[in-house]
Amino acid sequence: MAASVDSLDTGRPPAPRSGPAPWVAMYHSVGDCSDDPYRITVTPERLDKQLAWLRRRGLRGVSVTELLAARARGEGRNLVGLTFDDGYTDFVTDALPLLHRWGCGATLFVLPGRLGGDNGWDPLGPRKPLLTADGIRRAAAEGVEIGSHGLTHVDLTKADDLTLKAEVTESRAQLEELTGAPVDGFCYPYGTIDARAVQAVREAGYTYACAIDPGPLTGPHALPRVYVGQDDTAWRLHLKHGLHRLRRRPVEGL
């Protein structure tokens, strides 16, 4: 009987497998959410309950790098990526103690072009302070993965070529100098992407990048994420977790 095509050595590497999109939660600020027009804030009390929900379900929050490494080994089905965008100072004061309490890791996407500044890109406010270089180093020293959110939080789909390169490439170089460690992850400001931005991130040497709902561009450099906010109780998290697996496109290589 002739051997099947699958059993023959064709000399070509096997095609990358595609698996369900990993579950990556998107947070921003942790603190007072009484004035929160963009719905980017959860209170410490809410975050505490959300992390407790994860652990009750046998899930553990980790950095995106740890999550993807586990998935590449065929493991990590009980892991959830936890990401915090923008690098607010309340990450260190309010989020980090809760992550430690529940034995969770996380990825913090920061803006080296706005160290010690604020979220001036949000015209409605309120103004929220961003971490200084020392604050970012403290988070890294406590086991948090540091990733780039660009230099200054601009929409990369509207940036000219020079700005795009600076936001993607220079931000990585500055963060690696600041932390003394490789920076493997990128996060697209506003979650907006196009093929040009994805290609720039890939060419800059990042291992992965996070978006929100990248659609046909879904892949290691355009990972979908699930928004988590103040209104997300245990029941809503349960629904989001299930819908994510049903609605998101498979990710090549994971």
Side-chain angles (χ1 to χ4, degrees):
M1 178 182 296
S4 69
V5 173
D6 289 341
S7 67
L8 295 175
D9 182 2
T10 64
R12 297 190 299 268
R17 55 189 168 80
S18 295
W23 209 69
V24 181
M26 177 180 67
Y27 288 93
H28 289 78
S29 175
V30 180
D32 178 13
C33 62
S34 58
D35 182 11
D36 189 30
Y38 297 100
R39 300 175 64 228
I40 63 169
T41 310
V42 298
T43 63
E45 294 77 17
R46 178 62 74 194
L47 177 61
D48 187 55
K49 292 178 180 179
Q50 291 166 345
L51 297 178
W53 175 84
L54 287 177
R55 300 317 300 261
R56 285 197 306 271
R57 292 182 58 85
L59 302 171
R60 182 169 66 89
V62 296
S63 70
V64 179
T65 285
E66 182 176 345
L67 173 65
L68 297 184
R71 291 286 294 263
R73 298 191 301 268
E75 304 169 356
R77 301 300 169 179
N78 65 327
L79 301 180
V80 172
L82 298 181
T83 63
F84 292 78
D85 291 7
D86 303 333
Y88 296 105
T89 58
D90 56 36
F91 176 83
V92 168
T93 58
D94 294 295
L96 195 52
L98 293 174
L99 292 170
H100 288 329
R101 175 182 177 183
W102 292 104
C104 292
T107 299
L108 178 65
F109 293 113
V110 300
L111 299 151
R114 290 184 180 266
L115 297 177
D118 61 31
N119 57 326
W121 60 88
D122 289 334
L124 299 181
R127 297 279 74 86
K128 289 176 173 283
L130 302 175
L131 289 167
T132 63
D134 285 343
I136 292 172
R137 281 191 285 261
R138 176 182 167 185
E142 296 199 33
V144 175
E145 179 189 15
I146 303 299
S148 171
H149 202 25
L151 276 175
T152 59
H153 205 287
V154 301
D155 183 342
L156 299 184
T157 66
K158 300 177 181 178
D160 60 38
D161 290 345
L162 288 177
T163 301
L164 176 60
K165 183 174 182 180
E167 291 286 330
V168 171
T169 303
E170 291 183 22
S171 64
R172 186 180 190 218
Q174 289 185 25
L175 286 175
E176 289 184 338
E177 182 177 0
L178 188 156
T179 63
V183 172
D184 294 324
F186 186 84
C187 175
Y188 299 96
Y190 305 104
T192 56
I193 64 169
D194 57 17
R196 174 171 163 265
V198 173
Q199 182 65 19
V201 169
R202 185 184 294 113
E203 291 177 350
Y206 292 95
T207 304
Y208 73 86
C210 288
I212 297 177
D213 188 5
L217 292 173
T218 294
H221 290 89
L223 292 170
R225 291 187 295 168
V226 178
Y227 162 81
V228 180
Q230 179 65 13
D231 294 335
D232 286 319
T233 60
W235 176 240
R236 285 172 58 94
L237 287 175
H238 175 75
L239 290 177
K240 285 187 173 185
H241 188 259
L243 288 172
H244 177 77
R245 295 183 63 84
L246 292 173
R247 294 172 56 194
R248 301 298 189 183
R249 294 168 181 262
V251 180
E252 184 178 292
L254 296 180

